[in-house]
Amino acid sequence: MNPDSPSVYPFVAIVGQESLKKSLILNVINPGLSGVLIRGEKGTAKSTAVRALADLLPEIAVVDGDPFQSDPDDPKTMSPEVRARFEAGEALPVRRRKVRVVELPISATEDRVVGTLDLELALKEGRKQIEPGLLASANRGILYVDEVNLLDDHVVDVLLDSAAMGVNTIEREGISFSHPARFTLVGTMNPEEGDLRPQLLDRFGLCVHVEGLDTPQERVEVVKRRAEFEADPEAFAARWAEETQKLRAAVAEAIKLCPQVTAADAILYSIAERSLRMGVDGHRSDIVMLKAAKALAAWAGRGEVTEADVEEAAVLALAHRMRRRPFEDILGPHPAA
């Protein structure tokens, strides 16, 4: 998908859905949040927001011709072949491009996602030749899975493992090949069509629940903007170009600031107490809450996390992790209550 295409609806033109938009922006500011699961009924701008997200990101440098989108300035995250060329002193060809949104279809097989290895060539000639999968294309980008709850569980496991480790490994008959697979995972789903296992829910850093807009004014504005976009996508994009550029610049500043944001011990205790009070298993919620709170502080232009950041982060990080009885709604009580 080309994010520069006028057929992509501008992110800033989306009416309402502030939690949805902010959760996506936070994952851009800190990709270590491990993505976001967006739950909600059809027609609530879930897919529109995800597809528009890449246009907010700065361009990245990639090694030209490398299917794994290797960073020419970071040998540790290069694909094996590119790293070997780099260590041999070769001048790597470099080009700059927009970050990609790679969509994973519901029908995708594990081979399509992970990639395949030519076993015969490996056994006969000792060479590892692979057919890269979607995880290779998504490296350093955004992997978008619509209706993630309808994917085969094993494919979801592979996605979440790669998202957590930042590496994808292709294995066949004892022969393996690994390549970087660092991406922001965004899943959308309609809860009416089935849910994810709790173990999989926990692997998404953040979770938001979106609903249709509930005022006539907002709903009318959605219709007007959509009609204007469909009539002339280029003119519509031009109308929102200035606001898009402002948001793009703000995101870039927050990305730079985020690694410098600090959190006092009192903030860490507040995070731990919230997880305990909500009966959350494990420690992933604490780690995600801290990362989200730092991203929120950076988004606000601050160098230190506040209690308000923790409260907002808790809403996004705890709802899908709380212990619950069978058939209890996933959202449960408000985490910040």
Side-chain angles (χ1 to χ4, degrees):
M1 175 184 302
N2 179 6
D4 293 322
S5 168
S7 63
V8 175
Y9 193 92
F11 192 89
V12 293
I14 296 171
V15 180
Q17 307 299 1
E18 298 307 321
S19 294
L20 163 61
K21 291 186 285 191
K22 183 170 284 188
S23 68
L24 291 170
I25 289 172
L26 293 180
N27 269 276
V28 167
I29 295 170
N30 183 359
L33 279 169
S34 299
V36 57
L37 176 65
I38 305 167
R39 306 175 81 252
E41 58 202 31
K42 294 181 183 296
T44 48
K46 301 188 299 295
S47 300
T48 299
V50 177
R51 293 187 176 106
L53 182 64
D55 195 38
L56 302 180
L57 299 177
E59 288 188 338
I60 59 172
V62 299
V63 176
D64 197 18
D66 176 43
F68 307 105
Q69 340 299 324
S70 292
D71 184 345
D73 300 315
D74 187 0
K76 296 191 299 295
T77 61
M78 290 176 177
S79 65
E81 181 186 349
V82 170
R83 189 185 304 117
R85 291 164 58 191
F86 175 83
E87 292 172 349
E90 180 181 336
L92 300 172
V94 177
R95 67 183 178 93
R96 299 189 66 82
R97 63 160 175 77
K98 295 292 292 183
V99 169
R100 290 176 178 165
V101 175
V102 176
E103 295 193 38
L104 189 152
I106 295 175
S107 59
T109 62
E110 183 180 352
D111 283 350
R112 178 76 182 93
V113 174
V114 174
T116 57
L117 191 147
D118 189 329
L119 184 60
E120 185 176 353
L121 188 67
L123 293 175
K124 285 184 176 180
E125 302 181 21
R127 291 192 295 115
K128 294 180 181 179
Q129 181 171 316
I130 74 162
E131 181 68 31
L134 292 172
L135 293 181
S137 300
N139 186 39
R140 302 179 66 205
I142 299 163
L143 183 63
Y144 170 46
V145 188
D146 192 16
E147 298 184 312
V148 63
N149 51 319
L150 303 183
L151 272 181
D152 179 84
D153 279 349
H154 184 59
V155 173
V156 176
D157 285 334
V158 168
L159 289 179
L160 294 175
D161 285 343
S162 294
M165 301 296 294
V167 174
N168 175 47
T169 300
I170 306 168
E171 292 183 305
R172 282 194 65 190
E173 305 296 333
I175 300 172
S176 66
F177 176 91
S178 296
H179 68 80
R182 299 179 183 277
F183 51 84
T184 298
L185 178 64
V186 180
T188 60
M189 58 176 282
N190 182 349
E192 295 177 357
E193 297 172 346
D195 217 330
L196 286 172
R197 304 195 311 269
Q199 299 94 320
L200 300 183
L201 283 170
D202 183 54
R203 299 296 292 275
F204 282 94
L206 308 180
C207 180
V208 293
H209 186 83
V210 295
E211 296 178 336
L213 303 175
D214 57 5
T215 69
Q217 293 83 358
E218 288 179 313
R219 296 178 76 94
V220 167
E221 187 62 24
V222 169
V223 173
K224 283 183 175 180
R225 291 186 188 182
R226 192 72 206 186
E228 185 181 342
F229 170 72
E230 291 179 358
D232 191 340
E234 285 193 32
F236 187 79
R239 171 187 163 191
W240 294 94
E242 184 176 348
E243 285 194 44
T244 296
Q245 184 53 41
K246 287 180 181 177
L247 182 57
R248 191 182 291 132
V251 168
E253 286 300 313
I255 290 172
K256 291 179 185 176
L257 178 59
C258 192
Q260 304 167 33
V261 174
T262 60
D265 281 356
I267 292 293
L268 301 182
Y269 276 100
S270 175
I271 287 172
E273 287 165 0
R274 284 175 183 273
S275 288
L276 290 171
R277 190 163 67 246
M278 293 296 105
V280 177
D281 293 323
H283 302 283
R284 187 173 283 130
S285 63
D286 303 58
I287 296 168
V288 170
M289 253 194 291
L290 177 60
K291 289 180 178 180
K294 286 184 174 183
L296 284 162
W299 182 234
R302 289 183 274 101
E304 188 170 359
V305 173
T306 66
E307 184 63 30
D309 295 325
V310 175
E311 184 172 348
E312 188 171 356
V315 174
L316 298 170
L318 289 182
H320 60 305
R321 291 189 167 93
M322 293 187 294
R323 296 183 195 134
R324 57 190 186 277
R325 297 180 299 274
F327 311 117
E328 184 176 348
D329 180 57
I330 183 174
L331 290 178
H334 195 285

